[in-house]
Amino acid sequence: KCFSALTYKGEPVPELRGAALLSSLAVDPSASGKGVGGALVHEFCERMKRAGNASVYLTTDADENDRVNGFYEKCGFQLEDSFVRPGNRIMNRWVKNVKDQVAKQ
């Protein structure tokens, strides 16, 4: 499972041409709930904005994954759609507009 996360390039999404893919995010369990994940996502989005990307997208499991889906929603991502991957794995695609994102002071 870890290897597939390292090599994941995302499914092509024509309407998101030029968007940056956040393909994997991990935080040590001892840092859970301390804002580390949110800070990593924010920094990634800021860097992608500076690189000229208008949006960032990611996919994550839809089923039995409420905590992770809620995390991305809290980070300002919008649920774009859901789709089925091989093995009937239902995925959510989240998108965040970073072009208009205001940097934290």
Side-chain angles (χ1 to χ4, degrees), residues 25 34-46 71 75 104:
L25 176 70
K34 297 179 180 172
V36 174
L40 288 170
V41 169
H42 178 77
E43 182 61 24
F44 180 81
C45 290
E46 281 295 313
F71 167 76
C75 287
K104 286 184 182 176

Side-chain angles (χ1 to χ4, degrees), residues 29-101:
S30 66
S32 182
K34 297 179 180 172
V36 174
L40 288 170
V41 169
H42 178 77
E43 182 61 24
F44 180 81
C45 290
E46 281 295 313
R47 288 179 183 220
M48 295 305 99
K49 176 183 175 179
R50 287 193 300 270
N53 297 95
S55 60
V56 170
Y57 76 101
L58 63 95
T59 61
T60 193
D61 287 286
D63 293 334
E64 299 179 27
N65 201 22
D66 292 342
R67 186 175 61 84
V68 172
N69 282 287
F71 167 76
Y72 288 118
E73 186 172 23
K74 183 178 174 184
C75 287
F77 285 80
Q78 301 289 319
L79 183 60
E80 179 79 10
D81 63 358
S82 297
F83 61 96
V84 180
R85 292 193 71 202
N88 289 325
R89 187 174 171 190
I90 302 170
M91 306 297 291
N92 285 338
R93 181 177 294 110
W94 294 90
V95 178
K96 181 175 183 175
N97 176 346
V98 295
K99 185 173 73 172
D100 302 325
Q101 175 177 298

